[in-house]
Amino acid sequence: MTKYIFCTGGVVSSVGKGVAAAALGRVLKARGLRVTMQKLDPYINVDPGTMNPFQHGEVFVTEDGAETDLDLGHYERFIDENLTRASNVTTGQIYAEVIAKERRGDYLGGTVQVIPHITNEIKRRIGLVAKAHQNPDVVIVEVGGTVGDIEGLPFLEAIRQMRRDVGRDNVLYIHVTWLPYIGATGELKTKPTQHSVNTLRSVGIQPDAIIARADHPVPDSLREKIALFCDVDLRAVIPLPTAKILYEVPLMLEEAGLGDFVVERLGLPAREPDWTEWSRMVSEMRRPKEKLPIALVGKYVDLHDAYISVREALIHAGVAHGVDVQIEWIAAEDLEHGRGWDRLQRVHGIVVPGGFGYRGVEGKILAARYARENRVPYLGLCLGMQVMVIELARYALGSDEPNSTEFNPHTRYPVIDLLPEQRDITDLGGTMRLGAYPCVLVPGTRAAQAYGADLVYERHRHRFEFNNAYRDLLQRAGLVLSGLSPDGRLVEIVELADHPFMLGTQFHPEFKSRPNRPHPLFKAFIAAAAARLD
């Protein structure tokens, strides 16, 4: 029978609960267990797809086209499994489903209430993730937000009920809290953790284990105090100091004994953990390496979480090539106003990631122009591919008029445009191409060489497409269409002939990169950038 581990958070948000949950997934996978994961998000939005990245960070896209919380990216990178739309549940989705049932008369005229109707729908969604992944040994469910948040109460009540529904021996609760450091006295404080656990108890949940996050080492005396006041086993108080390397966290949890505790507590049929490959990878990450400066020219660079999958994909590729990728976060708008050029001129590679809206686009076009003219390796992701096409069209036509109709609906040269069948759709989500689509690679191109395959599937999240009316013009200017949809109609990858590496993808390859298996295009890009170190 599938076992369930519920991870809640206390004291403050952004304490690293998602990484801790994902790392626990890796700890269990190291023991040969089948693991999948789910995030319960209490916000009322249906999904983060229309949310400003400054509000919620990156929108992560699953294979089946769901726009989800960025924590699903952590889950996939740590447990190395492709998740589905069942793995992200929001208050908006829950209420929309319950209201739709009420309108259909499914409740036979009964009064619709938080308990049992909302909580039953939450529990149904929790059950769905196990079915979607062929009933794994363990489902790890992270509850977003912090204990005590009013919007999170129905989720806490639902996971409390799960213990009764599936049996006490099949459920384990882990509470992730923060130990603040008081500089004046030089000590960590446990009182916020005690209050947080008391709040959790007040809704009927007694944590089985507590992960104590801190920026300093956690002494055994504090672990004993937490165990006493929060009524948990001493061995179940897991210290988790801030790690220098993200992928060290599973090893830290293993060393602290969380894996053995969980396996024993849930009676899981696990073997001895095998950390050979993961430890080798982390050791390589720790090893001092030559620094490789890479510019990330974006719209939301003040919040690095807005590009978290891009950052991680660059790091993965850097490790594969034995270099330490140092990201220069450059605001596209700064380039428009003449700022940041000294930093751009110092890097060995330029990445322009995806995005929506006109703000900063001209700065991204300038970055693409700089890369083309100075033969600097360039990787364009989604919008980054589109600005590469716009820039080349402007060069070919000797005009600043070429553009995307997203930014200038009346441009004379719409090199990026909506497909004809998209034009009459008004719902923002209705025109999106989301999830995995096939891409046929053209033999002899850099893309085909990087992948070493004829056909790949990559994840999309975009609305506008390469305008086929400009294929001939741009190909004469040196553009190579190196990846196409199987029917040849959609341009998926472009690259520039006679350039060390200038390649753009209509899709988001960063979503499929893994720490132990970097994405081929990121590997090829970092290889080209590292060649400039010689």
Side-chain angles (χ1 to χ4, degrees):
M1 181 178 180
T2 296
K3 311 282 186 173
Y4 292 89
I5 299 173
F6 296 103
C7 295
T8 55
V11 183
V12 293
S13 60
S14 301
V15 75
K17 175 161 45 72
V19 171
L24 173 58
R26 170 49 60 179
V27 167
L28 297 179
K29 282 209 72 174
R31 287 165 164 75
L33 296 167
R34 294 181 301 115
V35 180
T36 194
M37 301 191 66
Q38 183 182 52
K39 175 75 180 285
L40 304 178
D41 269 315
Y43 54 73
I44 299 175
N45 305 66
V46 172
D47 60 44
T50 58
M51 294 170 71
N52 189 316
F54 281 132
Q55 291 263 322
H56 206 69
E58 169 188 88
V59 175
F60 188 81
V61 178
T62 58
E63 288 282 292
D64 59 351
E67 295 176 289
T68 71
D69 184 82
L70 63 81
D71 276 326
L72 269 73
H74 289 313
Y75 303 165
E76 287 203 1
R77 287 187 285 272
F78 276 87
I79 69 173
D80 197 12
E81 300 282 348
N82 290 333
L83 302 179
T84 67
R85 63 179 62 253
S87 289
N88 198 192
V89 177
T90 69
T91 293
Q93 293 171 9
I94 297 296
Y95 274 83
E97 181 66 24
V98 169
I99 290 169
K101 287 180 178 179
E102 186 273 333
R103 293 288 85 188
R104 290 196 303 264
D106 291 5
Y107 301 122
L108 304 176
T111 301
V112 179
Q113 298 176 287
V114 173
I115 304 171
H117 302 98
I118 296 298
T119 51
N120 282 351
E121 179 61 22
I122 293 170
K123 290 188 294 181
R124 187 183 74 85
R125 297 293 185 103
I126 293 171
L128 280 179
V129 74
K131 293 177 183 176
H133 295 273
Q134 289 77 52
N135 297 313
D137 298 311
V138 181
V139 175
I140 301 174
V141 181
E142 177 194 350
V143 182
T146 306
V147 169
D149 296 343
I150 190 169
E151 62 266 29
L153 288 174
F155 290 97
L156 295 179
E157 171 61 20
I159 68 171
R160 182 196 69 78
Q161 293 178 17
M162 285 289 295
R163 179 180 55 196
R164 186 192 64 175
D165 292 353
V166 302
R168 292 178 179 271
D169 293 339
N170 298 316
V171 170
L172 186 140
Y173 300 106
I174 296 177
H175 195 48
V176 184
T177 72
W178 177 251
L179 302 183
Y181 179 78
I182 307 300
T185 58
E187 59 182 342
L188 294 167
K189 306 301 288 187
T190 67
K191 189 64 70 176
T193 292
Q194 296 174 44
H195 286 309
S196 181
V197 170
N198 284 338
T199 302
L200 195 58
R201 283 170 164 175
S202 72
V203 297
I205 297 173
Q206 166 64 42
D208 298 287
I210 293 174
I211 295 178
R213 284 276 296 106
D215 278 336
H216 298 268
V218 181
D220 286 343
S221 59
L222 259 66
R223 292 180 56 236
E224 292 170 359
K225 188 174 182 180
I226 292 169
L228 175 64
F229 281 91
C230 298
D231 195 22
V232 297
D233 294 343
L234 176 60
R235 65 180 295 214
V237 179
I238 307 298
L240 186 56
T242 300
K244 290 183 180 179
I245 298 171
L246 189 67
Y247 302 102
E248 284 184 295
V249 177
L251 300 176
M252 296 166 70
L253 295 181
E254 180 66 53
E255 185 178 356
L258 183 60
D260 290 340
F261 174 81
V262 168
V263 165
E264 291 173 21
R265 170 66 177 74
L266 290 176
L268 289 163
R271 56 170 167 75
E272 284 298 305
D274 180 3
W275 289 105
T276 306
E277 182 186 358
W278 197 270
S279 295
R280 187 185 302 119
M281 177 191 74
V282 171
S283 295
E284 178 60 22
M285 289 179 172
R286 287 182 182 141
R287 183 179 65 82
K289 297 178 282 292
E290 188 170 9
K291 290 178 169 41
L292 179 68
I294 299 292
L296 192 150
V297 181
K299 182 177 177 180
Y300 308 107
V301 293
D302 288 339
L303 181 70
H304 295 179
D305 274 3
Y307 303 110
I308 192 167
S309 290
V310 178
R311 181 189 70 193
E312 294 304 307
L314 288 169
I315 292 170
H316 303 163
V319 172
H321 286 292
V323 294
D324 181 8
V325 173
Q326 300 287 304
I327 298 178
E328 282 283 345
W329 301 87
I330 299 177
E333 287 179 287
D334 282 353
L335 297 181
E336 295 173 6
H337 296 97
R339 300 188 297 269
W341 284 99
D342 55 333
R343 296 166 59 207
L344 189 71
Q345 290 162 1
R346 290 198 297 264
V347 303
H348 292 317
I350 298 170
V351 176
V352 176
F356 296 90
Y358 181 68
R359 185 167 63 84
V361 164
E362 292 299 325
K364 295 177 183 181
I365 292 172
L366 289 173
R369 177 171 300 164
Y370 177 82
R372 179 180 59 80
E373 293 179 345
N374 294 277
R375 299 177 62 78
V376 177
Y378 174 97
L379 180 61
L381 310 172
C382 197
L383 179 59
M385 172 266 213
Q386 295 177 1
V387 300
M388 172 183 163
V389 170
I390 292 168
E391 192 284 321
L392 185 64
R394 291 182 178 183
Y395 165 72
L397 292 168
S399 166
D400 287 337
E401 182 67 20
N403 214 324
S404 166
T405 52
E406 178 182 4
F407 313 127
N408 180 4
H410 309 294
T411 175
R412 289 173 57 201
Y413 307 109
V415 292
I416 305 294
D417 199 3
L418 289 174
L419 295 174
E421 59 267 29
Q422 295 174 300
R423 297 186 189 283
D424 296 327
I425 301 175
T426 56
D427 180 22
L428 281 179
T431 56
M432 295 281 279
R433 191 145 65 101
L434 285 166
Y437 284 82
C439 172
V440 176
L441 301 167
V442 176
T445 60
R446 286 190 182 86
Q449 183 180 8
Y451 278 106
D454 300 321
L455 176 70
V456 295
Y457 287 80
E458 292 285 1
R459 301 182 195 179
H460 293 66
R461 182 179 180 250
H462 64 93
R463 184 170 292 111
F464 291 77
E465 303 278 357
F466 183 102
N467 188 340
N468 290 323
Y470 292 90
R471 280 195 185 191
D472 290 344
L473 170 72
L474 290 164
Q475 285 176 311
R476 289 196 300 271
L479 194 69
V480 177
L481 310 183
S482 53
L484 302 167
S485 60
D487 62 4
R489 182 165 172 254
L490 300 174
V491 175
E492 299 282 23
I493 309 175
V494 299
E495 54 192 64
L496 198 60
D498 195 28
H499 189 284
F501 189 95
M502 192 160 189
L503 184 147
T505 66
Q506 184 63 87
F507 48 81
H508 289 267
E510 67 270 22
F511 293 147
K512 299 189 77 166
S513 187
R514 303 286 187 264
N516 54 346
R517 197 173 61 257
H519 192 281
L521 294 182
F522 278 88
K523 279 186 71 176
F525 167 70
I526 290 298
R532 293 168 60 89
L533 290 170
D534 300 333

